Amino acid sequence: MLFSVLFGCSSGNNGKMFQKISGIWEKGQGVEMERIKLTGFGENQTTRQQAARGRGEKAPFGSPSFKEANTLTLDVTFMFDSPEGTSIHRKDVEEIRPRALEANRMLEEGKGDICDGGIPMTGWKDLPEKLDKKHLEEIIAAARTLGSEIDAFVSLGIGGSYLGLEATFRALTHTYFNQLSREERGGAPEMYFLGQNMDPDYFRDTLDMLKGKRIAINVISKSGTTTETAIAFRIMQQLLEEHLGKEADRFILVTTDRQKGVLRKLAEKKGYRTFVVPDDIGGRFSVLSDVGLVGLAMANIDIGEFAEGFRNMRLAAMRKEFWENPALVHAGLRYTAWAKGKKIEVVATNAFPLYPVARWMEQLFPESEGHRGQGLWVSPSLYSEKLHANGQMVQQGERNIIETLLFLKEHDNRVRIPQDREDSDGLNFLADRGLDMNYVNAKVVEGPAYAHYLGGVPNMTLEIPRRNAYNIGQLYYMMERSVAISGYLLGHNPFIQPGVESYKTAIFALIGKPGYEDKAKKMEESTVKLERIRIRA
Ligand code: PA5
């Protein structure tokens, strides 16, 4: 049988509307393809590190030389005096400098508008110092024991009860983690995430991946009532119970408030193993608490190294000299840009595994800053991909954008660019000079940083030496501190999220949850008054 393809409007077809292509795929002409070999690529270093972590090997994260080699640097050169649009000048920042320093002092002293329900929500600030080593060991031991009995671990949660964990996991593991062998994963089970959306197809597809496997679930919810998480939990809990009966209880972990809430009550009744979302830490600031640590330990991430990163950045973020404090400078520049009319912050990275970290920032900043008509909209981006999409807008659209670039300097692997006999793409010069994909990928940040600056997009680059738990921990603490300072500068409490709470209540009313009848009625009355405008094709 002939395999043929018809192309319409192909160029250079001498006016013929269609051209028939045939031949190379004619049945019987080909030989069975040999399986591809990765000759010349060596061992994948991410996989090697996963396997090493599985054997209990640790990075020397306490040593001065490790710390020196893993110093994050914030380069703010291109934030100032851009030739197009409204520029930001050093003097603008100097003007707000005293306020930023005062904000840092108030944060340190636990002063200002920082409470939620009467509780000061700054428990995250000193958590790196307070974190109990014994508790970390307990988490690791629990993860080891449970992990050895299961094939897959499913984390259920949304917002701050989800993103920090997934972002850190993705940042530090192989892109196709679940498709690797258990040995390549360093002995860790497969990792899945549910409850962060209500898409039945995503849910069902994930169930397919879990079919026939031994699984454990960890439901993470501070309130215990968030609809998406609760529905995901109900389904997974029942699946486990139907399958295992009472034995299921051993495979259900609950991470929730220490004392109150429906999940706490249920866990006590059933005897589920519990972990705590601290009272004084909001979801988006909770990745260094049990919320993030349990899942990370399950994936064999070194949570001690992760905590050390937080500790190190805490010291830098406590510095009293503005220009020596990366968190203060980041906050001060973002605030200045916003006050001068910038409305969007593109957070872009050249590292695929750091894109979820940019998404974590998309949650941390807007959920904290979006009050009283204020705040920067954060747009997470992966470069090069997005340079071929909203890159046009960044370069030449409305000049209301700033950019924070998360620049990964050293990737785990090097990918060489080969010589090509034809050189039809004209890229042999790269191979001639021994330049690899890593070299080009660095230019994917350096090039746009300069071009965007010239085009009127002030930008700063956070240089991350390599991806490891220590550096991701540093980055998180810097950003948590930055957004807290931003709250003081904007003049509102960044630790509450009344807007998110109102959507949660609206969902309760819309799905007919008992107790929300009045709210549902009011919503219905107000929408009934609206003239429906619907265009059918
Ligand atoms: O940062 C936050 O507070 C939110 O993003 C919450 O983490 C999110 O809404 C989930 O809430 P809960 O943990 O109560 O289910």
Side-chain angles (χ1 to χ4, degrees), residues 116 157-163 220-227 229-230 255-256 263 277 281-286 291 363-364 367-368 495-497 500-501 503-504:
D116 190 5
I158 192 168
S161 292
Y162 148 67
L163 263 163
I220 311 173
S221 179
K222 189 172 188 177
S223 62
T225 54
T226 305
T227 307
T229 309
T255 307
T256 192
L263 273 178
V277 188
I281 301 182
R284 56 196 174 277
F285 293 84
S286 70
V291 171
Q363 193 219 357
L364 179 72
E367 202 174 4
S368 307
F495 306 118
I496 52 171
Q497 53 289 324
V500 175
E501 303 309 330
Y503 121 79
K504 286 187 182 177

Side-chain angles (χ1 to χ4, degrees), residues 450-503:
Y450 184 57
H452 294 167
Y453 154 78
L454 287 183
V457 173
N459 60 79
M460 50 188 148
T461 297
L462 182 64
E463 295 172 6
I464 303 157
R466 54 186 60 84
R467 59 186 172 111
N468 58 32
Y470 178 79
N471 286 338
I472 301 300
Q474 291 199 87
L475 182 153
Y476 285 161
Y477 191 84
M478 175 180 155
M479 297 306 165
E480 288 175 3
R481 194 83 181 201
S482 169
V483 82
I485 300 299
S486 177
Y488 285 94
L489 293 173
L490 291 165
H492 68 235
N493 183 345
F495 306 118
I496 52 171
Q497 53 289 324
V500 175
E501 303 309 330
S502 26
Y503 121 79

